[in-house]
Every structure is written in C-alpha cells, then in structure tokens.
Amino acid sequence: MANSSVVDFPKNFTKALNDPQLRHNLRSAMDTLGMRRRTLFSDPVSFEQLRATGDEIRQRALRQLPELLEKLEKKCTENGIQVHWAETPAEANQICLEIIQRHNAHRVIKGKSMVSEEMHLNHFLAEHDVEALETDLGEYIIQLDHETPSHIIVPAIHKNRDQIARLFHDKIPNTPYTEVVEELNAIARKVLREKFLAGEVGVSGVNFAVAETGTLCLVENEGNGRMCTTAPPVHIAVMGLEKVVERLDDVPPLLRLLTGSATGQLITTYFNMITSPRKAGEKDGPKEVHLVLLDNGRSKIWADPELRQTLKCIRCGACLNHCPVYTRLGGHAYGYVYPGPIGSILTPQIEGLVNAGAMATASTFCGACEEVCPVKIPITDILRRLRNESYQKVDTPHAVKGHGYKLSVIESLTWKGWALNNMMPWANALSAKLLGLLSAQLPRLPKVGLLKYWGQSRTLPKFAARSLHALAKEKGLRDE
Amino acid sequence: MNNARANILARLWTAISPDDLAPFESSVAGSALELSRTERVARLKQRMEAMHAEVVITSANGWIDALKATLRQRLLNGLLYAPDTALGKALAAVWDSDLPPLVGYTETIEQCKERLFAIDASITSTQGGLADVGALILWPDSDEPRLMSLAPALHIAVLDAAKIHDSLAQAIAHEHWREKMPTNILLISGPSKTADIELVLTFGVHGPKELIVLILDG
Amino acid sequence: MPTRPQKVYYFGTCLIDLCYPQAGMAGIELLQREGVEVLFPQQQSCCGQPAYNSGFPEEARKVARQQLKAFPNDYPIVVPSGSCGGMLKHHYPKLFANQPEFAEAQRFSGQVMELTEFLVTVLEIQLEDRGQPIKVTWHSSCSALREMRVIDYSKSLLRQLRNVELVELRRERECCGFGGSFSVKQADLSSAMVSDKVADIEKTGASRLLSGDCGCLMHIGGALDYQKSLIPAQHIAEFVWERVHG
Ligand code: SF4
C-alpha cells in the first residue's frame, strides 16, 4: 500500500506543516465539507437513528461475511457476472491483467476506486503496456501530476485552481492557461470524452454489493463511473470483500449516510446499480462484467471482534474532513493510500505495525471522527488497541502484525515507575511534596528530554507548593 | 490463484464465532415518510431543481407540446429516442420538420458509438421517481439503452406523476425490485456535476450538462 | 435527576493535585457552599489515563485499581475534569473488561459525574455574580464535549453570571492539540494545533480563557504564555468561585 516501503512519518509531517498553501487549501475545503454535512444532518435525533441503522446493517453484514460472500458469488454468477477472488493486491492485479490481455486491450478507463489505489493497479498495468486512465476529474488531475489521492472522496483537494490551471496548461497539449473552474472542467470533459470512446476495458470500484440479488452499487456525481461501466465492452469491478451487504433493503439507509456524510448531499447525481452484463437484445453495456474480491488482510482483521469494526467503514471520508490532524497534514503525509482516522486504524492492520504503527500515534483521541462516523466505528478504541499492541507482544491469534515492535525498556520502565508512584499513596504524597519544593527552587523545569518538545511552543507549568491532597487535609476534609 | 477463494473462505469460516451465528436482534425502528401525490410531485420538483434540473409539470395530453416548445428554444443537431416504445411512437407520430430530427437508438453501441456521442440531446421514459431526495428512477432496457441518459449533453426525461415514490426504500418494496432486478437501474438527481476543483460546483462534467424532467400530472 | 446527596466524593485528578490545586479547592468550595459534605480520599492518585492512552493498559489498570479501592462507598464521585471524568466513567469498564474487578469498575463508573454537570443538574446551583464586568471565552475539552457531554452545563454556569460576557470561539469544537503524550510525541502537530487555537482566542477580544479541563489549560495556557499573550487561562471552578465569593 505504501508508495515506498519505508514511510518517514516525522519528515512527511514536518514538510506538510511547513506548507502554508496546503494548509490553507485543506482548511477551507474541510470547513466547507463539514458545514455541508452539518446542514444535511441538522436534526441530531434523526441522524442518530439513521446511523444506528447504518451501524446495524454493517454489523449484520459482517457477522455473516463468509455466507454473504458465497451468496454474492452465487447470485452474481447466476446473473452472468464473473467473480474472482484475490488474497493479495498482486493477485488482484494479475486477475485484471489477464482479463485485459484476453481482450487484447491496451486502453483502460477507470472510475474512482480506492481499492484499485490499494492495489497500485495503474502502475502495475503500465508495466505491462496497458494505459489506465483515471476519468474522475479529481483523479485525472492528480494522475496528470503523477500524484496519489490525498483524500478518499476529493482526491485533488490539496491543489487549488491556480495549481490545476498550471498543470493543465503544461500537461495537456494546446491548452491555454485558465483559472476559471468551469473552463478547467470543460477542458477535462473534452479530453476525457475522447478517452471514453476509445476505452477498451472499464474499471470501477464498488460502494455496496448486494448479496441477495448479486447487484453492484456505485455512487457518483460526474457520470464518468457510468461511462466506464457502460461504454467499453468489458467492465472489471474491484472491491474489498467487506463491502457486501445482505439485502437490497440495506441500500437506502447506507446510501443516504454515504452521500450525506461525504459531501452533505441528499443523493448523488447518479446511483448506478449493476446486476448483469449486457443481455441478448440489449444495445449497450459491457458484454462481460467481472467482480474481483480482494482480501488483502481483511479476513484476518475480521477474525478479531474489536478490530472487525474497522471493516464497517463505507469510505465516506467524514472522519478525514473532521480530523484536526488530517486538516493540517493532508493525505500525502500519511504515506499510504488511506489517510486520516480511517487510514490510521486500517493501514497498520494491513501493513503491520512496524511499517505503519506510527499512524496510530497521530491522534489526540479528540473523538471528532467518531462523532461523525456514519457507521459508528470506535476509531479511538481501535487506535488505542494499536498503541497497546505496539508495545506488547500479544499472545492471541488475532494480534496485529508487528505487535510488540516498539518494545522499549526505557519507556516500559518509565510507565512502571509511574504506576508504582500512583499505586502507593505515600510515594505519591512524597513526590508531590518534592515537586512542590522543587518549584520553589526553580521557577520552571529545565527543558530536557521530552520537555524539550513541549517547550518548542509552550511554557511549562509550575508545580504548586502544596498539593490538593495537602490542602484538602488542611481544610479538614474527611474520607469514608 | 484458484486457492484464493478456498483460503479466504476457510479463514473466515474458521474464525466465525458463536456470537456471529446467534440470531441478530435489530434495535432500531425505521420511520417512513408518507406523502400525498401532490406533495410528492412538489417535493421531487423542488429537490431536483435545487440540483439544477429543469422540471416542467405538464399533462398526458400536453407534454409533447411542452417538449416541442422547449426544443424550439435551442439549437440541437438531433434528438436521440427509442422508436419502439409507446413514448417513441407518440413522438414520431406528431414530429414537426422544424424540430431537431429524431434519431433512433437502433444499433448496438459497437456500431454507433461515434454517432451516439455526437448527438446533442436525448429523450427517455422513466420507471418512476423518488420524492424524498428528488431523483428519477431509470430501468434502461433493449429499447431504451443505458447510454441514452448519459452520452448526450441534454437529457430529457418523461415522468408519470403516479409513479413517484416517497423514498427509495418504498420504491424497492412496492415494486418488488428484489425479484426482478434488471441489468441496470439508475437513480438520477440532476445533470452531471463535479466539485473536484476547490469544491466549486460545476455542471456537465462527463454526462449531460442539462436535465429536463417533464412530469405528467393528470 | 438524581436526588440531592448529603455527601460526595471528590476526585481531584493528578494534574490539579500537582499544578492547579486552587482550581480543585474552588470546586470543593462550590460543593460545600451548596451544603454538601465533600469527602476527599487521601488514597486517590491518578485516573490512569496517561498510560491507558500511551499503550500501557497493564500499568493503567494497576493505578486504576488503586482508585477503585480509594472510593469504596456509593456516593457520587465528582470530578473537576471532563477528561479524567471520561476515563473514570467510560473507560474503566473497558479497562476492566474480563478482569475480576469488572463489577466493581462498573459500580464506580456509575457514580462518576463531572463537576459542572453535578452543580447544575443535581444541586441546581444558583449563582450571584459579585465581580466586575468581564469578557471571557470558553474552550471545550474534547472529552467534556464528546464523552461526558457536559459543555451546555459548563456554559450555563457562566451564563448565570450577570457581569460575564461569553464570547465563543470560532472553532470551539476543535481539539487544542494536547492529547497527553501526543503533545510531546507529535510536538510539531500539537504546536500547529495550539497555535491556531491561540489565534482563535486572541481574536475574541476576551480577557480570560476558561475551560473545565486542566490538561487543555496547561497546554493552551502554556502556548498563550509562550506567545506573550496577556490572556490568562483559568479553570471554570476557580473563575466561578471568584465571581460568587467576591
Ligand atoms: S471510518 Fe467512518 S467516517 Fe471514516 S470513512 Fe469510514 S465510515 Fe466514513
């Protein structure tokens, strides 16, 4: 999932924090998305009811996951959709490539799909002489600039119009420089229309797959997803295997939660439900539809009841939009495909703690993500679990890959000492007294060790001469 | 590669817990909207207009005239239509020579892709509408293929007011979708749009730039 | 609404104990003013949150056990902090899940109430403002806001004070970037967050920053001080006690 195997989080973070343009772009975009969501879900009572429903639908689907996957496969197959299973991104890529090669295709047009990003599909196809063109406007923009999405819903949100204007002018032949958003859209429309005509295979993601009917649901505003799934003779849909839901009736509440949480829309322009390839007599639509089910660690996550909740995610991006850390860093600093709160819980579980465990430290546990999550994922509890397993070797079958990687004698001893001090009232009283005395000697603590980091933007607190324990005793407060 | 399926399913089935197999108790109650026909029409219109669709309320007798009036205001190279549907036949019967020529979607996409993408406008029927969110339901079929509502820059949709449902949930239930899912179902709430550049909303990025809905009410 | 008790336990929190005892005492005074006897177990220490959030649940449990022991009776446990309150109320049952003390932890959690909520809902406190006119602003700690959900109570206390004008922050719901060990382990991020918070505070024109959590106050107060701001940061209990005490 990483663009390079080792992600230098501190360096990335510092770089992002020192980019005022980025912070400005992000801040205003996240404010707007947050505001739109709040307007849509303005009634807290009905929102809570709706998200309780969403949570329940996702839980119900997950607890029957193996059964529903089998059912989905059966139904899809009956409908004429060919189902493929992949344990790893490499396998999924290979499946896609074989389908593409079987049709002697070299031009793939793609709708937005985070799973395809997880697979690094475009890169893989390019190595095999297949051009995969992103057709979602945001994805198209970043692909032109050889970047990855910085947000799971609005992938080019880190860029402003001037940057996009320059990019179009530089990269698209005969394109005048314009900062007018409508004109930029028109330029993309023109380029991509031609590509839609020429596309030989369409690739898309899947927002929900309905097991009872074998239906693939896609949510979008632009229509490029419809193009990719309708115009070329072959459609390949890639999906994480957790995206299955049990019934058609589960779709309406999830759809409302997804569009509302993502962009504050009651519904997107298009909701596209695909149940079969082109039938005899039909004039358009792909003749072949393939569904690639990707595991990539999900079945392992699923086995643990707490971690499993990660898989309830419907990828709405609301947790990113409301995260004070994401708002200041943007997606690229995280170094992996999924950024923000959802990325910080999902990525370490897939990539292992050694590679991505640091993502779990990039949180104050403020809980803003959980407050908006439409399927009530206990994000902070899962982050805490990842922190715990970073320091402890765990003796359960569901331990996160790389558990115990941070095992450090010094840190462990520090916390042991802290615990001892706080377990024994006499020790606690003594240290309070000592600190009180100390502060009388030194107006401020010296800036050493971790305190140095504190001191880079904050002065240190002073210890009180007498602790609350002492004052309470003086005041004659009793105990019982 | 063929082992992937077996391996994944084996991992899942082995890890399933007794809790997963216990009956699932639902604790949330749904609250359904109940609207009158007039309210449904009004709400759909208001919502779809908010999404920049143009909504015209007309009648079973008057809609073709309304359509003609709309078309006469524009310069269009043709109107893609479905010649074998009732709607298509009704149009063909009364078409005037000063109007954009009717072009039937009669060949497969492989045979007509270039031409299809060059036509300015299209007209389709609809399966129904959704009042609560303001959207059309389309069930494209062999007569009215999927690209009709996507390729042309102007899409005109004809909607029978009696077929507007309160919500998607209601449409799925009342029309028994699960028993007869077609190749493709579409919900369409307006012209194609994007907000990918600085979240500035602009219309007509890949699909239709304009959507006109003719509601036949009475 | 729980009935008005005669006695309450007071959980002072370790940060108040060491650095802000005057805020802790103000909370005690306010409770006593309402005729409630305040019990202060000398055996109490820290709620355990620092270790709990840093990846050391075993150490957190050891410390938490000590609190379970220190508060054996069924009196309400009043806490002048949303953050420690959240730990005691919402995380103890998780921390002791599958532990022999689970029932005890649930008992304990059920008794915990944040100070301002207790003053407003249980004691129905009425405040008479004896202070000079002042403009203040308010920082909601994330746990007071999202775990304990007591911000409305805290602000209602301020609104009872006739001469106090409350000017709200533009981003009142945004975290100040403290997050315990986050403030040093992710010092750059934390600094970026608190600088924005300071700018927001400065913009209100308030002459004091109030909050119900000493963690945030230490953090934001430290940043205000570092930036040579003249706005002091103060715990709400101390402020309210000053206003009514005269
Ligand atoms: S974790 Fe929740 S809020 Fe975040 S993307 Fe997933 S569903 Fe949306």
Side-chain angles (χ1 to χ4, degrees), chain A residues 29 32-33 36 49 52-53 56 59-60 63 65-67 69-70 73 85-87 91 94-95 135-139 141 153-157 159-162 164 181-182 184-185 189 192-193 196-197 199 212-213 215 221-224 226-227 229-233 241 248-249 251-252 255-256 265-279 281-287 295 299 302-303 308, chain B residues 1 3-5 7-9 11-13 15-31 47 51 84 105-110 113-114 116-118 130 132-135 138 140-153 168-169 172-173 177-179 181-209:
Chain A
T32 308
L33 288 169
R36 287 188 191 155
Q49 192 191 336
T53 308
E56 207 174 278
Q59 280 190 44
R60 172 160 46 77
R63 72 208 299 265
L65 185 63
E67 195 184 327
L69 287 171
E70 288 177 356
E73 178 185 44
W85 302 68
E87 289 201 79
E91 282 180 18
Q94 192 59 38
I95 293 168
T135 61
D136 170 88
L137 180 62
E139 294 278 351
I141 291 168
I153 297 290
V154 272
I157 202 64
K159 285 194 173 341
N160 62 17
R161 68 183 81 188
D162 316 2
I164 296 166
V181 175
E182 284 75 10
L184 292 168
N185 281 330
R189 178 181 171 105
L192 290 170
R193 276 252 149 178
F196 289 131
L197 274 171
E212 89 175 333
T213 56
T215 301
N221 281 314
E222 295 184 6
N224 67 305
R226 287 184 63 197
M227 288 285 187
T229 58
T230 316
L241 54 73
L248 207 51
D249 290 342
V251 169
L255 174 61
R256 173 69 63 89
Q265 289 179 279
L266 263 176
I267 188 168
T268 41
T269 305
Y270 301 117
F271 184 58
N272 186 358
M273 304 174 88
I274 298 167
T275 306
S276 84
R278 187 192 310 187
K279 293 198 185 88
E282 290 178 349
K283 300 189 182 76
D284 60 17
K287 292 175 180 163
D295 183 348
S299 58
W302 182 83
R308 178 192 288 185
Chain B
M1 196 93 38
N3 291 336
R5 179 183 188 278
N7 293 346
I8 292 167
L9 286 171
R11 262 199 303 280
L12 294 173
W13 281 117
I16 208 155
S17 76
D19 284 353
D20 294 329
L21 300 168
F24 187 83
E25 302 284 343
S26 169
S27 56
V28 285
S31 60
R47 297 264 199 254
M51 286 301 113
D84 291 336
Y105 195 148
T106 53
E107 293 163 295
T108 63
I109 171 83
E110 288 75 18
K113 209 176 199 174
E114 304 273 342
L116 193 74
F117 274 74
L130 304 175
D132 65 341
V133 292
L138 268 72
D141 59 15
S142 48
D143 289 327
E144 276 187 352
R146 293 158 72 170
L147 285 169
M148 282 186 80
S149 59
L150 184 63
L168 177 57
I172 291 173
W177 285 19
R178 41 196 287 247
E179 289 146 37
M181 289 296 280
T183 304
N184 182 222
I185 293 180
L186 291 163
L187 305 183
I188 301 180
S189 67
S192 147
K193 62 175 178 284
T194 183
D196 274 349
I197 301 177
E198 287 188 15
L199 297 177
V200 177
L201 197 59
T202 37
F203 289 86
V205 60
H206 299 305
K209 296 177 179 177

Side-chain angles (χ1 to χ4, degrees), chain A residues 37 51 58 152-153 257-258 261-262 309-322 339-343 345 368-379:
Chain A
R37 179 193 162 278
R51 77 171 186 156
R58 293 299 299 135
I152 65 176
I153 297 290
L257 283 167
L258 175 57
S261 304
Q309 306 227 43
T310 314
L311 303 178
K312 291 194 294 189
C313 177
I314 57 172
R315 304 281 189 270
C316 69
C319 57
L320 278 61
N321 303 344
H322 292 79
I342 179 59
I345 57 172
C369 48
E370 268 177 42
E371 186 177 40
V372 295
C373 176
V375 288
K376 303 214 249 186
I377 298 177
I379 298 173

Side-chain angles (χ1 to χ4, degrees), chain C residues 80-91:
Chain C
S81 156
S83 173
C84 310
M87 176 70 190
L88 301 172
K89 191 168 191 68
H90 298 288
H91 296 280

Side-chain angles (χ1 to χ4, degrees), chain A residues 59 64 174-175 192 216 274 343 375 422 436 467:
Chain A
Q59 280 190 44
Q64 322 173 63
N174 308 320
T175 303
L192 290 170
L216 312 178
I274 298 167
V375 288
N422 282 294
S467 69

